[in-house]
């Protein structure tokens, strides 16, 4: 079936996804920059990211209950309205404590809207179209997040206009879904995780995903603050963030393909060491100008985002086929826990050592990632290459919920998240 024919039934859902991700991308860069302009401390700005991560993770657990009660369309529309309200309230109440609460509202609402869209997409795919739709979904999410970053330079962040633009994007996300004639999907399944099961399946994936969350949380939330304190323009700050995302896109496939051929833990070790090298370079070029910082950001992005995918791939090597969705969903929740830690850890180092502390936070987390992956090579024999699951690229983890894994080509059919069967020890 031609690709356009496969995509046609889900165009409205993809449009909603695009507007939603663009608004999320704009909000993610706007709030840290505006907070820095207001003179708020790195701790306060870091708390925005932590409150967002806590609420987003909580939303993954409780949102199925809300959807069952109100339905998909009503839930999505209500949450999109809550997103628009939260960002407009930020423009009205310029107070860091209030913004922590508003950012938490946004995190909770985004978890719900993502889950509704993803469950809707899951209903529209077949085993034959799953790979194509998953790839298109990846492209839409990444393009929208990047595009959203560049909305901020259209207006000065010290004004209310970018907040209004963000609210408009969230409001636009409602229209395609509300007007769609696609039938509502089945009720969402409740997310349950078994941490012992996940750790027994793959200790290196368990620890690696946590540290990948720390890396991502530190960069995504504090990089705009670093850019503002480093004297970059709004366009340059947006480019700094996008450069890291571009690095993740460029390096994810090569690192993944190499990990299909050699022990993934060696690739994880190498990725961590590259991160240490990039972070060290960042410390020394923090005052060297925009171009040098773009290069460092591209290099760091090349490991910040793939570290999560590599850890998930290693976990899937040892997971039973029927446990793919369950294991991956649990790892995503662990990743969320890591993103709660990352912003505050980076904020502490930025308060202690100045703006370049963000690179120190990334460097230490990357070093721990590499060290533990290398240590685990002595604790478990590597699987032969022909027994490993093929590496699959994933969307940016901060735009995923457990529902998204049913879209992955490795999931032959949507599966329940609450089934818990012990894995055989391998």
């Amino acid at each position: 079936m031609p690709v356009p024919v496969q995509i046609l039934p889900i165009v409205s859902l993809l449009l909603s996804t695009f507007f939603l991700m663009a608004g999320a991308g704009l909000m993610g860069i706007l709030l840290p920059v505006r907070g820095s302009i207001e003179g708020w401390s790195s701790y306060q700005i870091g708390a925005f990211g932590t409150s967002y991560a806590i609420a987003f993770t909580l939303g993954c657990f409780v949102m199925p209950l809300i959807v069952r009660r109100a339905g998909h369309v009503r839930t999505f529309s209500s949450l999109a309205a809550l997103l628009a309200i939260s960002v407009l309230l930020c423009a009205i109440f310029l107070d860091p404590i209030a913004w922590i609460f508003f950012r938490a509202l946004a995190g909770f609402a985004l978890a719900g809207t993502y889950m509704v869209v993803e469950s809707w997409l899951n209903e529209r795919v077949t085993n034959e179209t799953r790979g194509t739709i998953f790839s298109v979904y990846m492209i839409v999410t990444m393009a929208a997040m990047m595009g959203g970053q560049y909305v901020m330079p259209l207006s000065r962040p010290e004004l209310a206009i970018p907040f209004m633009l963000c609210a408009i994007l969230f409001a636009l996300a409602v229209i395609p879904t509300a007007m769609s004639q696609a039938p509502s999907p089945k009720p969402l399944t409740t997310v349950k995780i078994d941490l012992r099961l996940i750790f027994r399946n793959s200790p290196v994936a368990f620890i690696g995903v946590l540290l990948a969350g720390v890396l991502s949380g530190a960069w995504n939330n504090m990089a705009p603050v670093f850019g503002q304190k480093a004297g970059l323009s709004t366009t340059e700050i947006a480019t700094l963030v996008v450069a890291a995302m571009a690095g993740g896109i460029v390096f994810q496939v090569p690192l993944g393909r190499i990990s299909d051929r050699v022990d993934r833990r060696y690739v994880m070790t190498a990725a961590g060491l590259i991160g240490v090298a990039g972070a060290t370079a960042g410390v020394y070029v923090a005052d060297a100008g925009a171009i040098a910082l773009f290069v460092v950001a591209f290099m760091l992005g090349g490991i910040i985002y793939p570290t999560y995918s590599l850890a998930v791939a290693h976990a899937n090597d040892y997971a039973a086929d029927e446990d793919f969705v369950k294991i991956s969903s649990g790892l995503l929740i662990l990743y969320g826990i890591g993103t709660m830690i990352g912003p505050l850890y980076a904020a502490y180092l930025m308060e202690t050592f100045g703006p370049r502390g963000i690179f120190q936070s990334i460097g230490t987390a990357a070093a721990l990632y590499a060290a533990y992956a290398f240590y685990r090579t002595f604790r478990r024999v590597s699987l032969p290459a022909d027994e490993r699951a093929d590496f699959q690229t994933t969307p940016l983890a901060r735009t995923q919920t457990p529902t998204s894994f049913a879209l992955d080509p490795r999931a032959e059919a949507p599966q329940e998240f609450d089934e818990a069967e012990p894995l055989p020890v391998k």
Side-chain angles (χ1 to χ4, degrees):
M1 184 184 299
V3 173
V5 176
Q6 297 180 33
I7 297 174
L8 189 60
I10 61 168
V11 167
S12 61
L13 297 176
L14 292 176
L15 279 174
S16 286
T17 300
F18 183 87
F19 290 128
L20 191 67
M21 299 295 187
L26 173 57
M27 192 176 189
I29 192 174
L30 174 60
L31 298 192
V33 170
R34 179 59 182 269
S36 183
I37 291 174
E38 293 294 326
W40 299 340
S41 70
S42 296
Y43 286 120
Q44 292 170 321
I45 298 173
F48 302 162
T50 296
S51 67
Y52 172 88
I54 292 173
F56 189 97
T57 304
L58 177 65
C60 291
F61 286 95
V62 304
M63 199 54 61
L65 303 177
I66 297 175
V67 173
R68 288 187 189 126
R69 182 180 180 86
H72 286 75
V73 175
R74 292 188 184 94
T75 299
F76 184 87
S77 301
S78 299
L79 293 176
L82 184 60
L83 283 167
I85 291 169
S86 69
V87 72
L88 291 174
L89 285 173
C90 288
I92 297 171
F93 298 101
L94 294 176
D95 179 81
I97 303 302
W99 278 30
I100 292 172
F101 175 71
F102 299 151
R103 190 62 173 140
L105 284 179
F108 182 80
L110 278 170
T113 52
Y114 291 170
M115 291 184 83
V116 169
V117 169
E118 290 164 357
S119 65
W120 226 317
L121 289 174
N122 287 333
E123 288 287 306
R124 306 298 293 176
V125 302
T126 64
N127 287 341
E128 291 73 25
T129 63
R130 189 180 305 277
T132 299
I133 291 178
F134 184 70
S135 298
V136 172
Y137 178 68
M138 284 175 51
I139 293 170
V140 169
T141 57
M142 292 179 180
M145 289 291 291
M146 289 181 172
Q149 317 285 350
Y150 281 106
V151 174
M152 188 181 68
L154 298 177
S155 176
R156 291 180 295 173
E158 62 269 21
L159 301 178
I161 293 177
F163 294 87
M164 297 176 186
L165 294 174
C166 188
I168 289 171
L169 288 170
F170 288 137
L172 286 172
V174 176
I175 299 174
T177 301
M179 299 300 292
S180 173
Q181 295 181 344
S184 294
K186 299 175 183 177
L188 296 173
T189 52
T190 303
V191 179
K192 292 184 180 180
I193 61 172
D194 184 339
L195 295 181
R196 289 183 298 177
L197 173 68
I198 295 172
F199 187 82
R200 185 167 68 250
N201 175 69
S202 175
V204 73
F206 186 103
I207 300 299
V209 162
L210 276 173
L211 291 171
V214 173
L215 286 165
S216 178
W219 176 261
N220 291 332
N221 291 283
M222 302 308 292
V225 178
F226 166 80
Q228 200 279 328
K229 292 184 180 296
L232 301 183
S233 67
T234 53
T235 301
E236 289 170 338
I237 293 173
T239 303
L240 181 75
V241 176
V242 168
M245 296 173 67
I249 294 171
V250 169
F251 286 102
Q252 186 169 180
V253 172
L255 287 173
R257 292 294 178 259
I258 293 172
S259 75
D260 283 342
R261 293 171 174 80
V262 301
D263 190 332
R264 291 198 206 276
R265 294 166 297 185
Y266 288 138
V267 181
M268 294 171 70
T269 300
L273 293 177
I274 293 171
V276 172
T280 302
V283 170
Y284 287 101
V285 305
D287 301 321
I291 300 301
L293 290 173
F294 296 160
V295 174
V296 169
F298 182 83
M299 181 179 179
L300 289 177
I303 65 97
I304 287 174
Y305 300 114
T307 50
Y308 168 76
S309 299
L310 289 169
V312 171
H314 188 271
N316 290 332
D317 288 340
Y318 292 92
D321 292 341
E322 63 272 14
D323 290 325
F324 163 72
V325 173
K326 180 171 57 181
I327 292 292
S328 297
S329 300
L331 289 173
L332 186 60
I333 299 299
L334 287 173
Y335 177 88
I337 295 173
T339 61
M340 300 174 196
I341 302 169
L344 292 180
Y345 177 52
Y348 167 74
L349 292 181
M350 292 176 75
E351 284 287 315
T352 304
F353 300 105
R356 68 188 64 206
I358 188 175
F359 297 115
Q360 294 168 315
S361 68
I362 291 172
T364 52
L368 290 172
Y369 183 92
Y372 191 74
F374 186 67
Y375 162 74
R376 286 300 303 176
T377 62
F378 299 100
R379 305 295 297 174
R380 185 188 238 179
V381 177
S382 175
L383 283 176
D386 58 357
E387 294 184 20
R388 297 181 202 141
D390 291 339
F391 180 87
Q392 297 283 340
T393 56
T394 64
L396 299 178
R398 60 180 170 144
T399 67
Q400 285 184 287
T401 70
T403 309
S404 66
F405 285 106
L407 274 172
D408 193 291
R410 290 166 290 185
E412 295 182 356
Q415 301 177 43
E416 300 290 335
F417 299 136
D418 56 355
E419 297 177 10
E421 298 177 1
L423 293 178
V425 177
K426 296 185 180 182

